[in-house]
Amino acid sequence: MSQAHDHATTPTQPTQSSEMAVPCREKPNIQPANRGTIASKRAGSQTRKHKQNIPYVLKSGLAGGLAGCAAKTVVGPLDRVKILFQASSPQFAKYTGSWFGVVTAMKDINRQDGMRGLFRGHSATLLRIFPYAAIKFVAYEQIRALLITSSAQETSIRRLLSGSIAGVTSVFFTYPLEVIRVRLAFETKKDSRSSLSSICRRIYHEHPHNISASPTQSTPLPNAVVSAPRSGIINFYRGFSPTLVGMVPYAGMSFLTHDTAKDWLRDPLLAPYTIKDFSNRDPSTPLILKAWAQFLAGGFAGLVSQTASYPLEVIRRRMQVGGAVGDGHRLGIAETAGRIYKETGLRGFCVGLTIGYIKVVPMVAVSFFTYERMKWVLGVDGH
């Protein structure tokens, strides 16, 4: 009995000794806040690697390009009228400054050229907007992933900086197409319709006003150095400087406001009303706003960004059509702003702002809505 009892208890003895043989490893004392920081950094690193792979870039680029095309198509007629107002087209100057001027101008264009006239230059718009929007959204996702690596870095300044750099990057590569689009939309006379190729040739061969000669003399001064008039590719970058300056507040405020509005709408108090399938959603899936909430966030972003950047947009439009009106003299930002102020005062920098709101608010709303929905369709997770 004693031996049997000893034999029965022997299996437990090695187990105890083996447990004692294992050295005790003291767990590091990590505070809850530190644990959260480390976990956030690891999650940020994984997100950054995920966003840098080729499939993510291609899918987000496709979503961005389609979003831009959808948004511009919705507001195509308003965009045509706004350009005519901003660039002080003589035929449509009488309609500016009136709430009904936009509608009247659209009726005149429709009566003269039909619906096709309301979308004058729209083909060039789509040709430009797809790469522009694709580059902008891809750049924002990539830059955001680099600047914001944890939840602690989700600050307004980092979001603003990410959006501004993304906007500058996209406009640098697609600006010549914007100049072509504006010149096509600026034409109003039926007998002076130009094709896309002829507009490109005309812009390329335009020469600025020769300022080497004295205004009161027909020949240059003897000691003056007469340089060859600048033409060529540089003409496709008319108004590029104010565009870059204006893009900082426009794209920056657009992305900042949109992301901030999404945070507000995802607040636990509002989430049951604003989140798609909130009661039946998988907790591991990203929060997707309902259609009306997404439109609200995008529209608010459009309102804020348009207000912040509109004066520089007016200056840019005047510089872009410089070769189509006047003597072709290439104006700088300060000179263009001076002329606008001399002609109409401070009010001149707000010409077309009403139509700007009417156009930009739905345009940005449609753009962000389409982008978020296309990412969801393509299986690209949101941030």
Side-chain angles (χ1 to χ4, degrees):
M1 290 290 292
S2 175
Q3 290 178 351
H5 177 72
D6 292 343
H7 181 74
T9 57
T10 51
T12 62
Q13 292 175 352
T15 305
Q16 292 175 352
S17 62
S18 62
E19 288 177 354
M20 295 296 292
V22 176
C24 295
R25 296 182 180 178
E26 185 177 347
K27 294 183 179 180
N29 185 20
I30 301 178
Q31 299 297 326
N34 293 336
R35 289 196 190 104
T37 303
I38 293 173
S40 179
K41 287 183 178 179
R42 288 176 179 173
S45 177
Q46 293 174 354
T47 300
R48 184 166 63 253
K49 289 180 180 179
H50 170 63
K51 288 188 175 183
Q52 289 176 346
N53 63 46
I54 298 300
Y56 184 94
V57 172
L58 293 177
K59 288 180 179 180
S60 59
L62 176 61
L66 293 175
C69 290
K72 278 292 186 181
T73 301
V74 168
V75 298
L78 289 171
D79 199 30
R80 172 82 199 280
V81 175
K82 192 188 78 165
I83 289 174
L84 294 173
F85 282 7
Q86 285 181 331
S88 298
S89 172
Q91 186 176 345
F92 290 89
K94 58 186 176 182
Y95 299 129
T96 60
S98 170
W99 284 92
F100 301 101
V102 175
V103 177
T104 306
M106 292 177 66
K107 286 182 178 178
D108 279 3
I109 295 173
N110 185 53
R111 183 169 56 252
Q112 182 178 346
D113 301 319
M115 284 296 295
R116 187 176 180 181
L118 292 172
F119 287 91
R120 175 73 176 162
H122 191 61
S123 58
T125 297
L126 297 182
L127 183 64
R128 163 195 167 267
I129 201 62
F130 186 91
Y132 167 80
I135 294 172
K136 182 179 69 173
F137 280 109
V138 168
Y140 179 69
E141 297 280 5
Q142 299 301 315
I143 296 167
R144 191 183 193 281
L146 291 174
L147 295 181
I148 303 176
T149 58
S150 66
S151 58
Q153 295 180 339
E154 282 281 357
T155 61
S156 297
I157 187 64
R158 289 177 183 268
R159 287 176 171 178
L160 179 68
L161 188 60
S162 299
S164 298
I165 296 175
V168 170
T169 302
S170 60
V171 80
F172 176 79
F173 289 104
T174 60
Y175 190 79
L177 293 171
E178 167 71 358
V179 174
I180 296 170
R181 178 184 77 91
V182 171
R183 292 291 288 270
L184 283 169
F186 185 71
E187 291 187 346
T188 57
K189 295 182 180 178
K190 242 182 179 180
D191 56 354
S192 63
R193 289 288 184 264
S194 302
S195 64
L196 184 62
S197 59
S198 63
I199 281 285
C200 291
R201 287 194 300 269
R202 188 182 308 163
I203 295 173
Y204 183 87
H205 293 291
E206 283 173 355
H207 296 284
H209 182 65
N210 190 348
I211 60 175
S212 60
S214 172
T216 59
Q217 294 177 338
S218 57
T219 58
L221 296 174
N223 297 328
V225 178
V226 181
S227 59
R230 291 180 300 170
S231 62
I233 298 298
I234 193 174
N235 285 341
F236 290 92
Y237 281 86
R238 287 180 181 268
F240 187 60
S241 298
T243 300
L244 287 182
V245 177
M247 187 54 63
V248 172
Y250 180 79
M253 291 301 297
S254 180
F255 280 108
L256 166 62
T257 309
H258 177 258
D259 286 358
T260 303
K262 284 205 307 182
D263 290 344
W264 293 342
L265 293 169
R266 287 171 172 172
D267 186 89
L269 293 176
L270 298 176
Y273 310 101
T274 60
I275 299 301
K276 183 179 175 66
D277 299 328
F278 179 78
S279 57
N280 301 322
R281 61 175 293 273
D282 184 353
S284 61
T285 59
L287 297 174
I288 300 177
L289 294 175
K290 292 182 179 179
W292 71 266
Q294 183 62 69
F295 276 118
L296 180 63
F300 182 55
L303 181 69
V304 174
S305 60
Q306 179 73 354
T307 304
S309 64
Y310 194 79
L312 286 166
E313 186 178 351
V314 174
I315 295 173
R316 172 167 62 99
R317 297 296 190 205
R318 290 290 290 270
M319 293 178 70
Q320 286 175 335
V321 300
V325 295
D327 55 12
H329 174 51
R330 186 179 287 116
L331 302 177
I333 297 177
E335 191 175 358
T336 304
R339 285 196 176 187
I340 295 173
Y341 181 78
K342 186 177 179 180
E343 291 172 2
T344 53
L346 290 176
R347 186 169 173 268
F349 295 98
C350 298
V351 170
L353 183 57
T354 300
I355 188 175
Y357 285 136
I358 297 173
K359 171 205 162 189
V360 170
V361 170
M363 183 186 73
V364 177
V366 170
S367 178
F368 277 117
F369 173 81
T370 307
Y371 178 65
E372 296 291 343
R373 285 298 190 269
M374 285 302 303
K375 286 206 304 179
W376 178 68
V377 170
L378 296 172
V380 180
D381 294 333
H383 51 260

